[in-house]
Amino acid sequence: MLNKYTWWELVLLYLGVAVFLMFVLAPFAEAFAVSLRPLDGLFNIPYEFITDDMTFENYSIMWKSVPNLALYIWNSFFIACCVTILALICIIPAAYSFGRFTYRGRDGLLAMFLGINMVGAAVLIIPLYKLMLTLGLLNTYWSMIIPGAAFCVPTGIFLMRSYFLRIPKELEEAAYVDGASRLYTLWRVILPVALPGIMVVTIATFITAYAQQFLFALTFNSKDAYKPLPVGLYDFFGHQTVHWNELMAASLVGISPVLILYVFLQRYIVAGLTSGAVKE
Amino acid sequence: MGQLSLRAVTKSFDKAEVIKPTNLDINEGEFVVFVGPSGCGKSTMLRMIAGLEEITSGEIVIDDKVVNNLAPVKRGISMVFQSYALYPHMSVYENIAFPLRVARTPQADVDRLVSRAADVLKLNERLKHKPGELSGGQRQRVAIGRAIVREPKVFLFDEPLSNLDAALRAEMRVELKRLHGQLKNTMIYVTHDQIEAMTMADKIVVLRDGVIEQCGSPLELYHKPQNKFVAGFIGNPNMNFLPATITAISPASVTVKLNDGNECTLPVSGDCKIGDEVSVGVRPADFHSGGNIKVIPDVVERLGNETVVYANTLSGAPICIVTGGMVTMAGGKEIAVGFEGQNAHLFRADGSAFERNVNLNELELTA
Ligand SMILES: Nc1ncnc2c1ncn2[C@@H]1O[C@H](COP(=O)(O)OP(=O)(O)OP(=O)(O)O)[C@@H](O)[C@H]1O
Ligand SMILES: [Mg+2]
């Protein structure tokens, strides 16, 4: 029996999981609690997690105190979607080429892509600014979409490539023998079989795109109309007070697109679409 | 339709020459089986014929047309892969229809052709299923269906049955043979299963290290192997080789002295001289009890219809004997066996065979 544990091993395992989850989820719980309190109830001493004055009021006030909030959330979502689409358009053919063809410099190229990922966007932000300036892209959606996509591509290629590598070569050979062209095979055979992999890459890219907007938006954009949520949240910083409770409420509403997307797409990650392709 | 020739075909991967210059003619409608030990180049040969592997030099000719640079479809071949290679996201119907879809066949024709293929392969009930929901044998039939639907001139099979269990394999073997009878296409079939080779082939091609060792009908290979390798490869259990020295030569026979002192005369002819070191090849089933060769049985396998005895000669050389199922025999007790010279084969030290003076037609009539 490979997975047989004694009761105390099980208790330890669950305890470990619980501690880890606490660590990850505590900020969310705290943010939620804060979002329910009135502003003057935030700094009560001693600290109480649940208090009598909790309401969902902030979730309606926030739209009024920052009228652009809906726009910011939309911008975030829009930019992340564009980044994901643009990145996928680059990732899929590139990963297929890395996974299936042999040519000179292939492995070096792959290593270079991953190397760029290690350097990271923050280090390159000033040269990137210069580039955006030269291209006249500052203060447009593009200034956030293009660098966003660029920094998602390397990881995406790596993930997708390993998925393509797992698809048996015979599948392509069979299609070739039956007269299908490379593109037809890619479109009708490889992509459908790789769908779970594509879903994983889509989700990973979307989440990254959603999370990394802040840096690019802060640096390359100063127009209110194009601001994504992470930058837009600064509007809750008043002259005298910071509306922490509304800010938390807005943040939680802001991350909901990612959660919803995940709920819809996660079954693709689990489903084993490749079953029956080859003899096991 | 379906005449295929290889002319001085070779194949090298980097420096390694995997297929040495090879000539082979395959006639229309023939069922040809490639056999050989693992790594001898059977799959490579097949993939070169298919057009999946470029040939390094030489020519592949199908129906008088050099097809070296043609794509598989243009060559008029289709192939069934060892791993089936079905498209997991498509139904059985779409899997079989795939080559037609590629060729943009009108839907009415697709329906007609797919249902005809499904009829032949008894897959009518399964057309809506996904490959994942089928049994191994059914998947194999879908793969065959995809290959037959566009009516190729030549079929290629790469070990199509090797992953099935023994019973299903026997069943599919018969079905494939029946299919060949119905379609009458040229079929080239790779296997390392001797029984498949012997039962299905019109012509067997024995390969070793990228060289064709012999090519002929199953019984020709069985009764007149051209060298020791083919003799040892065809037939189960393998042929026994007894070292011997030539003592006398006549026009129609050669007399040899076995190392244990027994003499025997074989009706064979060929270049040789007295004193040459040779091997006498005797199939396990050609031994009979009561002779001059003393052996000590080591392991006795009783299969019911026959008994396989793994024994050692007095000098310690291993020897395998097949006798009737009812023979009682215990390990460790010496027995005497013998064989008839007319059933034995004779090989030179370099492995080449002496020509046996047997008439194949007679053998086929009596067989
Ligand atoms: N793509 C390749 N690159 C380099 N060498 C290869 C390649 N494909 C095959 N070979 C070599 O060619 C030789 C023949 O391989 P092949 O697959 O034709 O053998 P086979 O007769 O089909 O064996 P098996 O019965 O195990 O399938 C092997 O030694 C193998 O290592
Ligand atoms: Mg092989």
Side-chain angles (χ1 to χ4, degrees):
Chain A
M1 283 282 171
L2 195 59
N3 289 325
K4 207 155 165 67
Y5 298 104
T6 57
W7 67 268
W8 55 270
E9 279 173 326
L10 275 180
V11 167
L12 273 181
L13 279 174
Y14 275 98
L15 214 67
V17 172
V19 168
F20 178 75
L21 276 183
M22 273 258 295
F23 202 72
V24 173
L25 294 180
F28 288 90
E30 175 65 11
F32 187 59
V34 167
S35 76
L36 297 180
R37 291 195 185 112
L39 195 56
D40 47 12
L42 286 184
F43 303 102
N44 282 347
I45 294 173
Y47 176 82
E48 276 177 277
F49 188 70
I50 295 181
T51 49
D52 306 333
D53 50 8
M54 286 184 159
T55 68
F56 278 97
E57 215 174 23
N58 291 324
Y59 284 86
S60 57
I61 302 178
M62 64 181 188
W63 305 103
K64 292 193 200 82
S65 54
V66 178
N68 275 343
L69 185 59
L71 180 68
Y72 296 154
I73 292 177
W74 160 253
N75 279 344
S76 263
F77 191 67
F78 175 73
I79 292 171
C81 283
C82 289
V83 166
T84 308
I85 293 168
L86 187 63
L88 281 179
I89 290 174
C90 303
I91 288 170
I92 292 173
Y96 184 65
S97 139
F98 279 126
R100 271 297 187 264
F101 302 116
T102 37
Y103 44 87
R104 266 207 296 170
R106 181 189 64 175
D107 296 343
L109 216 60
L110 190 64
M112 219 161 74
F113 266 112
L114 291 174
I116 291 170
N117 235 28
M118 264 169 233
V119 175
V123 179
L124 299 173
I125 204 78
I126 292 173
L128 271 175
Y129 186 87
K130 198 85 204 288
L131 198 69
M132 292 294 154
L133 186 69
T134 320
L135 296 176
L137 292 177
L138 286 180
N139 301 326
T140 61
Y141 277 130
W142 289 114
S143 69
M144 294 171 274
I145 293 171
I146 294 174
F151 284 94
C152 288
V153 164
T155 334
I157 288 179
F158 204 67
L159 276 177
M160 203 62 229
R161 184 188 77 116
S162 57
Y163 210 90
F164 280 138
L165 285 178
R166 272 177 31 202
I167 297 178
K169 225 178 171 144
E170 279 98 344
L171 236 47
E172 276 159 282
E173 289 180 342
Y176 177 59
V177 168
D178 287 339
S181 67
R182 273 270 177 200
L183 273 181
Y184 188 95
T185 311
L186 184 64
W187 189 246
R188 296 298 305 274
V189 177
I190 301 302
L191 289 189
V193 173
L195 200 61
I198 294 175
M199 287 300 162
V200 172
V201 173
T202 306
I203 293 170
T205 308
F206 187 85
I207 292 173
T208 318
Y210 213 80
Q212 69 168 199
Q213 288 167 350
F214 181 70
L215 183 64
F216 302 125
L218 194 67
T219 334
F220 302 145
N221 175 50
S222 50
K223 278 224 177 91
D224 264 0
Y226 302 146
K227 273 187 192 166
L229 187 67
V231 180
L233 286 177
Y234 278 89
D235 287 7
F236 286 102
F237 285 49
H239 288 295
Q240 283 111 36
T241 50
V242 178
H243 295 269
W244 289 113
N245 46 2
E246 290 171 38
L247 196 151
M248 288 303 155
S251 305
L252 288 177
V253 172
I255 54 174
S256 54
V258 183
L259 289 181
I260 292 168
L261 191 81
Y262 183 76
V263 169
F264 276 113
L265 295 184
Q266 58 112 9
R267 74 188 175 91
Y268 286 100
I269 305 175
V270 184
L273 270 181
T274 42
S275 63
V278 295
K279 290 189 251 202
E280 282 92 26
Chain B
M1 292 290 283
Q3 218 281 334
L4 185 140
S5 309
L6 305 186
R7 297 193 188 139
V9 168
T10 68
K11 173 74 191 176
S12 306
F13 289 110
D14 299 324
K15 295 246 155 40
E17 194 171 44
V18 171
I19 303 287
K20 312 273 160 38
T22 296
N23 290 297
L24 180 66
D25 282 301
I26 292 171
N27 296 325
E28 182 191 337
E30 254 183 336
F31 199 120
V32 178
V33 174
F34 289 178
V35 287
S38 193
C40 67
K42 306 181 294 287
S43 301
T44 307
M45 190 91 96
L46 201 70
R47 292 165 56 85
M48 290 193 309
I49 296 172
L52 286 170
E53 209 79 72
E54 262 179 55
I55 62 175
T56 308
S57 68
E59 277 180 348
I60 296 179
V61 182
I62 297 179
D63 288 340
D64 301 324
K65 202 162 119 203
V66 176
V67 297
N68 286 11
N69 296 318
L70 291 187
V73 210
K74 299 263 170 58
R75 298 181 182 202
I77 62 101
S78 73
M79 181 154 171
V80 175
F81 291 80
Q82 175 171 4
S83 59
Y84 310 148
L86 300 179
Y87 310 124
H89 57 291
M90 296 181 188
S91 64
V92 168
Y93 180 98
E94 283 303 323
N95 262 287
I96 297 178
F98 187 85
L100 304 173
R101 299 269 186 237
V102 173
R104 298 180 198 284
T105 313
Q107 181 61 39
D109 293 342
V110 173
D111 271 336
R112 186 173 50 80
L113 291 169
V114 171
S115 71
R116 202 176 70 191
D119 274 343
V120 173
L121 297 165
K122 306 189 200 76
L123 281 169
N124 287 324
E125 313 277 293
R126 300 273 162 222
L127 286 176
K128 299 239 155 22
H129 292 69
K130 292 273 169 65
E133 301 157 4
L134 302 181
S135 72
Q138 287 166 339
R139 284 183 209 177
Q140 187 61 69
R141 289 207 294 261
V142 176
I144 295 171
R146 193 174 60 190
I148 64 176
V149 75
R150 64 185 162 83
E151 298 168 353
K153 292 185 253 183
V154 183
F155 271 121
L156 308 175
F157 295 89
D158 192 355
E159 306 200 22
L161 309 184
S162 63
N163 283 32
L164 303 180
D165 66 55
L168 197 52
R169 201 182 304 175
E171 195 180 305
M172 288 301 294
R173 207 164 64 208
V174 176
E175 269 186 52
L176 270 176
K177 193 74 188 149
R178 189 177 298 135
L179 193 70
H180 180 236
Q182 271 176 33
L183 302 175
K184 303 201 166 50
N185 300 44
T186 310
M187 293 197 178
I188 306 179
Y189 187 102
V190 166
T191 179
H192 48 223
D193 183 317
Q194 286 199 33
I195 300 180
E196 277 173 32
M198 294 299 282
T199 53
M200 299 171 86
D202 296 322
K203 182 148 110 192
I204 297 181
V205 177
V206 182
L207 286 164
R208 175 170 62 160
D209 294 340
V211 177
I212 294 183
E213 292 285 341
Q214 191 173 355
C215 166
S217 74
L219 287 184
E220 192 180 334
L221 262 62
Y222 187 82
H223 292 294
K224 288 190 166 183
Q226 277 169 9
N227 56 46
K228 218 169 147 179
F229 175 79
V230 175
F233 194 79
I234 302 284
N236 189 21
N238 296 348
M239 186 185 274
N240 298 292
F241 296 106
L242 312 171
T245 318
I246 295 180
T247 54
I249 303 167
S250 76
S253 68
V254 173
T255 304
V256 298
K257 188 171 164 209
L258 297 175
N259 278 9
D260 61 5
N262 289 306
E263 288 224 338
C264 93
T265 304
L266 296 88
V268 297
S269 46
D271 283 349
C272 59
K273 57 183 191 300
I274 290 175
D276 276 358
E277 298 280 326
V278 291
S279 312
V280 178
V282 187
R283 296 207 181 272
D286 288 337
F287 282 108
H288 55 74
S289 60
N292 304 326
I293 306 171
K294 302 257 189 311
V295 299
I296 301 170
D298 183 13
V299 176
V300 180
E301 291 178 348
R302 306 183 64 92
L303 302 179
N305 62 337
E306 59 180 26
T307 306
V308 182
V309 183
Y310 297 93
N312 292 308
T313 58
L314 293 183
S315 57
I319 197 165
C320 177
I321 299 161
V322 173
T323 68
M326 305 310 289
V327 177
T328 50
M329 194 176 290
K333 270 223 323 266
E334 187 181 293
I335 54 168
V337 296
F339 61 90
E340 301 302 324
Q342 69 197 41
N343 293 330
H345 304 244
L346 195 61
F347 302 96
R348 297 183 186 86
D350 66 2
S352 62
F354 287 73
E355 171 81 17
R356 285 179 80 203
N357 300 328
V358 292
N359 188 337
L360 270 188
N361 290 334
E362 260 172 43
L363 282 171
E364 296 214 26
L365 283 180
T366 55

